[in-house]
Amino acid sequence: MAILKVPSLQHLARNWHDDSSRVKNVLVRLAQNSPTFNYNPLFSAVQDMLVFGQPYDEIAEGIRRGVQREGVRNNFLEVLPLIRDHFDGIAPAFVQPVGRRYYPVGRGLLVPFDPPLIYGVGGRIHFPWFSFWRTNPIAQMRLSLFVTMVDDVLIQDPDLETAKFEILDFSAPAGKKSRELMVIDARDVPRVTAEEKAEMLAVFAEGFFLAQAELAGMKDERPEDRPGDDKRDDDQPGLFD
């Protein structure tokens, strides 16, 4: 039986719909085709560049040698130069990880929030959020929901509430094959109202528990019936990365 794990805050926003049955359908599909990789090597690359000043060529070679699956490896190597260009010339006073937080969605559902890192430049804390989806990144109401929820988290931490919050979107623009980095200043993203947020989260929570119930009633798939790794889109980390 496929198990429905609690999504991250970013995945909650990306998979939100205005109908709980649509949320359910998306979550069931993702639970049945859970991802087989994550983007941790790219987060490690950012820290190697910022903290240790490791040369880009060494980091890229480490990915070429260390990531066995060709599709995943090529995906990482496509994103890596965009990361390099963005952080080139930045000499932070500090770089540090941020501990996991939990966001209450409703009906006892707590969603994890795992910021990769923060860094300080010129006396200001920078809070970058990395979005690695090639297609269909969070946008419009979903982006507003995500930024509003992040605001709720940051305001609880005196060290982070004044941080410069930016979303680094590594998707490919419509009509283009290659990724480009778009830096979104969170201050430019409209927030949802408290009433809108409550309604949106209630719909998601209802969809989550509907998906959980549906999956619990399904029979286990035979191993030969499960989709193979070669059929998955390696760009899409799905729900749980």
Side-chain angles (χ1 to χ4, degrees):
M1 181 185 71
I3 297 176
L4 181 62
K5 297 180 182 178
V6 177
S8 69
L9 208 65
Q10 183 178 10
H11 287 92
L12 182 160
R14 188 174 188 253
N15 292 294
W16 176 83
H17 291 276
D18 58 5
D19 182 281
S20 60
S21 64
R22 295 183 67 190
V23 174
K24 178 205 70 174
N25 292 338
V26 170
L27 297 185
V28 168
R29 184 170 66 251
L30 290 172
Q32 292 174 322
N33 297 275
S34 57
T36 57
F37 79 102
N38 57 50
Y39 283 101
N40 288 340
L42 291 180
F43 295 135
S44 297
V46 173
Q47 295 188 39
D48 289 342
M49 292 178 192
L50 291 177
V51 179
F52 304 111
Q54 186 174 358
Y56 172 82
D57 290 343
E58 292 182 7
I59 295 173
E61 183 61 23
I63 288 178
R64 290 190 189 97
R65 292 177 178 272
V67 180
Q68 300 302 313
R69 292 171 56 190
E70 182 180 7
V72 177
R73 181 172 62 249
N74 291 340
N75 188 24
F76 290 172
L77 292 174
E78 185 182 12
V79 174
L80 194 61
L82 298 175
I83 293 176
R84 174 199 59 195
D85 293 347
H86 178 71
F87 289 104
D88 185 42
I90 294 178
F94 66 87
V95 180
Q96 65 185 52
V98 180
R100 169 174 285 191
R101 274 80 164 160
Y102 288 91
Y103 193 94
V105 173
R107 296 180 57 185
L109 180 61
L110 296 176
V111 172
F113 179 59
D114 290 299
L117 55 85
I118 57 173
Y119 63 92
V121 174
R124 186 171 193 184
I125 296 176
H126 291 252
F127 179 85
W129 188 269
F130 298 78
S131 178
F132 290 124
W133 286 297
R134 176 189 293 276
T135 58
N136 300 321
I138 299 175
Q140 299 178 347
M141 277 296 281
R142 293 181 177 89
L143 180 60
S144 291
L145 174 62
F146 175 66
V147 171
T148 301
M149 291 189 293
V150 174
D151 277 351
D152 291 342
V153 175
L154 296 183
I155 202 171
Q156 301 297 320
D157 190 328
D159 293 329
L160 297 179
E161 62 178 340
T162 60
K164 185 177 182 180
F165 172 27
E166 292 181 327
I167 298 171
L168 308 184
D169 178 356
F170 293 90
S171 61
K176 295 187 178 181
K177 294 183 179 180
S178 298
R179 296 172 181 266
E180 296 178 9
L181 173 58
M182 180 172 64
V183 180
I184 302 171
D185 189 329
R187 293 175 298 182
D188 298 331
V189 178
R191 273 52 171 177
V192 298
T193 67
E195 293 76 14
E196 289 172 329
K197 181 183 67 176
E199 182 178 349
M200 294 170 79
L201 294 181
V203 170
F204 186 89
E206 179 67 20
F208 177 87
F209 290 111
L210 287 173
Q212 200 173 56
E214 182 167 316
L215 288 166
M218 290 182 177
K219 295 181 179 179
D220 290 342
E221 289 180 322
R222 294 174 300 169
E224 59 268 30
D225 291 335
R226 293 181 60 83
D229 287 351
D230 58 335
K231 296 181 181 179
R232 289 189 182 139
D233 177 2
D234 283 336
D235 176 60
Q236 297 300 330
L239 185 62
F240 312 121
D241 69 313

